[in-house]
Amino acid sequence: MAYWLVKSEPGDWSWDNQLAVEYEPWDGVRNFQAQKNMRAMKNGDKVFFYHSGKAKEIVGICEVVREGYPDPDDETNRFCLVDLKAIQSVTPISLASIKSEAQLQDIALVRQPRLSVMPIDEEAWHIILNIQPIQ
């Protein structure tokens, strides 16, 4: 199993939207590095759901329930979708809390803040899950 993080503007697609559906195609990703990451996702992989924009926090965990398949809205056939299913809400984990952890300074969320789909190594995944909110 691998671990990932996907970002969404809450005004476009929020965690509440994700919870309200059985599963949802993750669409609109046009960055080639993010697309490469989506193509690497496998069924059963776990995915942090991150609210970008003003919130800047992880708010839930999804599971990949359908691996990369062609985006029907892409006439060029260069882009894919994956289907994600919400499996668990989490106490919000802020970007500030993540950045305060010395062991997380090399993850893509810190190094490449504009990337919308990124891998999270297993050690970082567990560190993030155990972060206590900054008061």
Side-chain angles (χ1 to χ4, degrees):
M1 177 185 359
Y3 301 93
W4 307 91
L5 181 144
V6 297
K7 293 181 178 181
S8 182
E9 289 276 349
D12 293 334
W13 186 258
S14 70
W15 179 242
D16 287 340
N17 295 126
Q18 188 70 37
L19 287 170
V21 297
E22 183 179 351
Y23 63 87
E24 183 69 14
W26 202 256
D27 61 4
V29 176
R30 294 298 185 249
N31 173 283
F32 286 103
Q33 185 176 2
Q35 275 287 307
K36 180 180 175 185
N37 291 334
M38 287 174 59
R39 283 186 180 87
M41 291 177 163
K42 301 294 181 201
N43 289 338
D45 285 357
K46 300 297 185 255
V47 182
F48 282 133
F49 189 105
Y50 180 92
H51 277 165
S52 58
K54 292 181 182 180
K56 293 186 177 78
E57 60 190 6
I58 294 169
V59 293
I61 298 173
C62 293
E63 181 176 331
V64 176
V65 294
R66 184 175 177 193
E67 297 177 14
Y69 60 95
D71 182 341
D73 293 331
D74 172 32
E75 295 176 5
T76 68
N77 294 317
R78 293 184 295 173
F79 301 108
C80 75
L81 306 177
V82 296
D83 289 353
L84 299 180
K85 177 181 180 177
I87 58 170
Q88 177 183 346
S89 295
V90 298
T91 301
I93 305 165
S94 71
L95 179 59
S97 296
I98 292 167
K99 285 183 170 182
S100 73
E101 295 288 329
Q103 298 153 298
L104 298 176
Q105 297 309 301
D106 289 330
I107 66 170
L109 184 61
V110 174
R111 289 185 300 103
Q112 295 177 282
R114 295 187 52 85
L115 188 61
S116 63
V117 178
M118 61 192 68
I120 301 289
D121 66 62
E122 185 173 3
E123 180 182 8
W125 178 271
H126 293 293
I127 291 168
I128 291 168
L129 283 177
N130 290 301
I131 287 177
Q132 298 300 313
I134 294 176
Q135 302 298 331

